[in-house]
Amino acid sequence: MDNQFIFQYSWDILPKKWVHKMKRSEHGNRFYTNTDNLFPLLCFLKWHTYTRVQVLIDICGVDYPSRKRRFEVVYNLLSTRYNARIRVQTSADEVTRISSVVSLFPSAGWWEREVWDMFGLSFINHPDLRRILTDYGFEGHPLRKDFPLSGYVEVRYDDPEKRVVSEPIEMTQEFRYFDFASPWEQRSDG
Amino acid sequence: MTVPVTRKDLMIVNMGPHHPSMHGVLRLILTLDGEDVIDCEPILGYLHRGMEKIAENRTILQYLPYVTRWDYLATMFTEAITVNAPEKLENVQVPQRASYIRVIMLELSRIASHLLWLGPFMADIGAQTPFFYIFRERELIYNLFEAATGMRMMHNYFRIGGVAADLPYGWIEKCFDFCDYFLTGVVEYQKLITRNPIFLERVEGVGIIGGEEAVNWGLSGPMLRASGIQWDLRKVDNYECYNEFDWEIQWQKEGDSLARYLVRIGEMKESIKMIQQALEGIPGGPYENLEVRRFDRAKNSEWNDFAYRFISKKPSPNFELSKQELYARVEAPKGELGIYLIGDNSVFPWRWKIRPPGFINLQILPELVKRMKLADHDDIR
């Protein structure tokens, strides 16, 4: 099937310096690379005749706080010519600077802005790296695991000052954690 | 910008977050040179509700009411992707009847979304009347949804392994009546709009996107198909039971607004064809895969035996996501809606990334509006 062909081909032909691990599963084939070789790898995948992955579907950041390089950036790619999808994953920590792929895939512009906004990973050579989804003047990077679900500030319109102000959050009910483990299920002794 | 201007001082206009034309909250900062638009900068984030962070703290069943609020025009697609992702992760089989019901609901939702694209599109061009006509048909679709699911818009209908409840008695006949009525409605729209010279003057040749450019910018859905690329996830991916029906991909070559209009009208007609075929061929059988709800922590547990099945109505589903990653996708009316899901061996997902089609399709706007008249920059969609 075409889906496996371009994956197998690229794994065979690429230098092992670029792709240091690969995983093939029914849920999607993926390459693991490191941040220095990310841009050449995507360049190869986009332009080479037998891979031709021209569509960047998604750039996703993931936070694994238990790891040393806590963030992982996942690029989901699609080749319309061969009907195949490939995932490229790199890991980074808070200060690693990843090279932006905007020159290859123009749609990466907003995706990288979102990863910056939500996680704090910055990209070199990005034409316009600023916040995209959070409020003006928002502090913090929301999707990191150490940022609480309810946030730190709440906003309200302050009538004496005639503008919107941010204040530290005040919750009347504490955060309830619904796990819905069924009472019949004994987790400890099955 | 490298676009030549005719005067030195350009006017910067803010089309603020609220619009009188139901676009939703989107702020555009336009740089104008007289009536020509030099540059446009969209500012997003006004409707960012933290859905991805909430998903990390909810089980799939608890999360389902949230997902219809992502895209409230085409609600069934968001639910479909939310259950498709865990189903693919754990290889859960969906019964045939449930698959047909899902396809019918999805196609009705697609028609509803395209109708609500058509209304504001015509209103932006200047024709106010179709805006009211589309709500006629959308109300009929809402009635069908309310009869089947209980809610007009924010149905909580899809479940992992099927749908929540079966179709009520007589729903299929009502749906057939709707299909017949809607075909006459589409003919009415075509008579009023498609060959209207004023409409063609406004829309033909506006906002042309080439095929290569569309692929580069990651567009999907009708915007991609109107530029000559026949890419429809329903044919390519073969999910649910779309391969059992006889339908064609709607596509056009020119890539301007007229082509996008024709693709969407064509898609509405194809959806009706699909719904009619599905209604005729719907099989009997279960509407939900109840195996998913069993306690399978211990496979041969006595709690799974016959005697205990009648103790309560249905046990609390405790669907556990294993430690795998998956990218699932559906063909939403706006484009490719995808979920990148990382499971974590617990009931909460570790990362739930939503790939929204509208977010990406909007990115091309600053490129397209260069040198366009102010009144045309709304026609691009």
Side-chain angles (χ1 to χ4, degrees):
Chain A
M1 200 176 81
D2 273 344
N3 209 342
Q4 302 294 327
F5 168 69
I6 69 173
F7 185 70
Q8 187 62 39
Y9 178 78
S10 357
W11 173 245
D12 288 337
I13 204 173
L14 284 171
K16 291 300 171 278
K17 211 165 48 116
W18 284 9
V19 180
H20 55 78
K21 197 164 86 159
M22 68 95 114
K23 217 186 237 179
R24 174 204 293 246
S25 77
E26 54 179 1
H27 293 312
N29 305 319
R30 42 200 194 268
F31 286 140
Y32 289 85
T33 178
N34 51 8
T35 52
D36 306 317
N37 304 122
L38 178 69
F39 191 84
L41 174 65
L42 288 177
C43 217
F44 170 83
L45 286 175
K46 176 166 181 175
W47 294 114
H48 190 86
T49 325
Y50 287 134
T51 50
R52 270 322 229 166
V53 268
Q54 287 173 307
V55 186
L56 172 70
I57 293 283
D58 190 21
I59 302 182
C60 173
V62 193
D63 186 15
Y64 293 100
S66 51
R67 292 189 193 168
K68 192 152 152 265
R69 292 170 73 92
R70 74 187 274 204
F71 298 118
E72 197 171 294
V73 185
V74 179
Y75 293 75
N76 279 302
L77 303 159
L78 162 69
S79 164
T80 51
R81 181 186 286 192
Y82 296 108
N83 186 13
R85 294 189 186 247
I86 280 192
R87 230 178 283 152
V88 174
Q89 295 181 286
T90 58
S91 37
D93 52 6
E94 284 105 341
V95 293
T96 317
R97 303 194 67 192
I98 313 179
S99 114
S100 160
V101 295
V102 172
S103 45
L104 286 177
F105 302 103
S107 61
W110 281 7
W111 287 127
E112 292 177 349
R113 275 174 73 183
E114 188 193 348
V115 172
W116 156 248
D117 196 9
M118 294 284 131
F119 289 94
L121 287 173
S122 57
F123 292 85
I124 319 175
N125 288 334
H126 188 103
D128 189 25
L129 197 66
R130 56 191 161 101
R131 66 176 74 254
I132 189 170
L133 290 175
T134 48
D135 200 5
Y136 306 107
F138 189 86
E139 283 164 13
H141 295 285
L143 275 177
R144 294 189 176 183
K145 292 286 175 181
D146 43 1
F147 193 91
L149 178 60
S150 56
Y152 294 120
V153 294
E154 60 179 16
V155 289
R156 63 177 183 87
Y157 179 72
D158 190 285
D159 208 41
E161 289 191 43
K162 297 268 183 268
R163 64 179 184 89
V164 174
V165 298
S166 300
E167 289 174 336
I169 195 167
E170 233 175 65
M171 307 234 298
T172 48
Q173 211 180 37
E174 69 168 35
F175 185 71
R176 293 177 292 178
Y177 190 77
F178 293 112
D179 200 356
F180 277 152
S182 169
W184 298 351
E185 237 182 356
Q186 317 287 335
R187 277 178 189 264
S188 47
D189 52 292
Chain B
M1 296 281 109
T2 55
V3 183
V5 296
T6 57
R7 65 185 78 186
K8 283 220 193 68
D9 50 340
L10 304 171
M11 184 160 61
I12 299 190
V13 169
N14 175 36
M15 277 184 72
H18 296 280
H19 298 277
S21 172
M22 247 190 99
H23 287 159
V25 280
L26 165 67
R27 181 174 176 206
L28 291 176
I29 300 187
L30 299 161
T31 313
L32 297 175
D33 168 27
E35 185 90 12
D36 296 329
V37 178
I38 306 291
D39 189 18
C40 147
E41 186 197 327
I43 297 190
L44 314 173
Y46 286 93
L47 203 54
H48 175 65
R49 292 160 283 190
M51 290 292 187
E52 295 182 3
K53 186 116 184 137
I54 292 177
E56 293 171 9
N57 290 304
R58 299 279 183 274
T59 68
I60 302 288
L61 189 67
Q62 289 170 333
Y63 193 59
L64 274 169
Y66 287 89
V67 300
T68 43
R69 272 88 177 161
W70 298 345
D71 181 6
Y72 33 83
L73 306 175
T75 49
M76 292 293 188
F77 288 95
T78 51
E79 288 187 24
I81 188 85
T82 311
V83 298
N84 273 349
E87 276 172 8
K88 275 210 199 132
L89 201 67
E90 305 289 335
N91 262 332
V92 171
Q93 303 292 327
V94 177
Q96 188 76 333
R97 182 179 173 91
S99 198
Y100 270 71
I101 296 179
R102 281 186 183 181
V103 167
I104 296 173
M105 293 298 177
L106 287 178
E107 292 306 314
L108 279 175
S109 209
R110 184 186 307 273
I111 295 175
S113 174
H114 281 325
L115 281 173
L116 198 54
W117 156 81
L118 183 64
F121 179 60
M122 299 307 296
D124 286 336
I125 293 183
Q128 312 283 348
T129 328
F131 192 76
F132 298 98
Y133 284 359
I134 54 153
F135 276 108
R136 254 188 341 203
E137 274 93 37
R138 232 180 115 88
E139 284 294 323
L140 295 175
I141 297 183
Y142 284 164
N143 286 342
L144 285 174
F145 280 158
E146 189 182 2
T149 75
M151 282 282 290
R152 280 155 49 100
M153 270 175 96
M154 305 303 176
H155 1 266
N156 184 356
Y157 191 50
F158 283 34
R159 296 282 182 269
I160 299 182
V163 290
D166 207 348
L167 299 173
Y169 180 68
W171 196 90
I172 298 188
E173 282 77 28
K174 282 270 184 248
C175 203
F176 267 123
D177 292 339
F178 167 75
C179 293
D180 297 331
Y181 172 71
F182 187 73
L183 283 175
T184 65
V186 170
V187 166
E188 187 182 5
Y189 293 136
Q190 290 197 298
K191 275 200 285 205
L192 272 179
I193 302 174
T194 312
R195 276 188 282 274
N196 193 328
I198 308 180
F199 174 74
L200 290 177
E201 279 272 340
R202 281 303 296 269
V203 156
E204 201 163 3
V206 166
I208 298 189
I209 309 178
E212 274 295 312
E213 208 183 333
V215 166
N216 266 339
W217 281 92
L219 300 182
S220 49
M223 297 194 77
L224 184 64
R225 289 197 279 283
S227 299
I229 304 194
Q230 308 177 37
W231 181 258
D232 188 330
L233 286 175
R234 295 174 284 173
K235 282 269 189 217
V236 162
D237 264 351
N238 265 336
Y239 62 96
E240 300 283 348
C241 51
Y242 279 104
N243 49 351
E244 297 181 20
F245 305 130
D246 172 32
W247 60 282
E248 268 137 44
I249 302 181
Q250 299 292 312
W251 64 284
Q252 300 279 332
K253 274 205 285 269
E254 296 86 28
D256 56 0
S257 283
L258 180 63
R260 292 191 274 274
Y261 165 83
L262 290 172
V263 166
R264 287 181 170 117
I265 297 280
E267 274 188 8
M268 282 203 270
K269 290 203 278 206
E270 290 295 311
S271 290
I272 289 283
K273 255 171 55 178
M274 271 194 263
I275 296 177
Q276 283 171 330
Q277 289 172 46
L279 288 171
E280 278 164 23
I282 190 169
Y287 57 86
E288 188 178 359
N289 185 352
L290 292 172
E291 300 274 312
V292 174
R293 293 168 171 269
R294 288 180 5 156
F295 309 118
D296 57 0
R297 200 72 53 89
K299 284 271 179 206
N300 292 322
S301 156
E302 55 170 0
W303 300 108
N304 289 335
D305 274 348
F306 182 72
Y308 290 108
R309 290 216 187 145
F310 302 96
I311 291 187
S312 68
K313 286 199 312 201
K314 280 179 188 173
S316 298
N318 212 352
F319 195 76
E320 210 177 70
L321 300 161
S322 53
K323 205 172 169 70
Q324 294 173 62
E325 315 177 349
L326 172 65
Y327 177 72
R329 55 237 179 220
V330 290
E331 174 81 21
K334 295 199 169 77
E336 175 177 331
L337 172 63
I339 298 276
Y340 177 64
L341 168 63
I342 301 184
D344 189 44
N345 270 337
S346 79
V347 291
F348 298 146
W350 184 255
R351 177 78 167 103
W352 179 276
K353 169 86 170 57
I354 308 167
R355 191 260 182 208
F359 183 71
I360 283 305
N361 290 350
L362 191 59
Q363 227 186 336
I364 202 176
L365 185 68
E367 285 293 313
L368 284 182
V369 293
K370 296 204 170 101
R371 272 295 131 197
M372 215 185 257
K373 297 280 176 217
L374 178 61
D376 283 338
H377 85 278
D378 266 337
D379 297 339
I380 297 177
R381 49 221 207 93

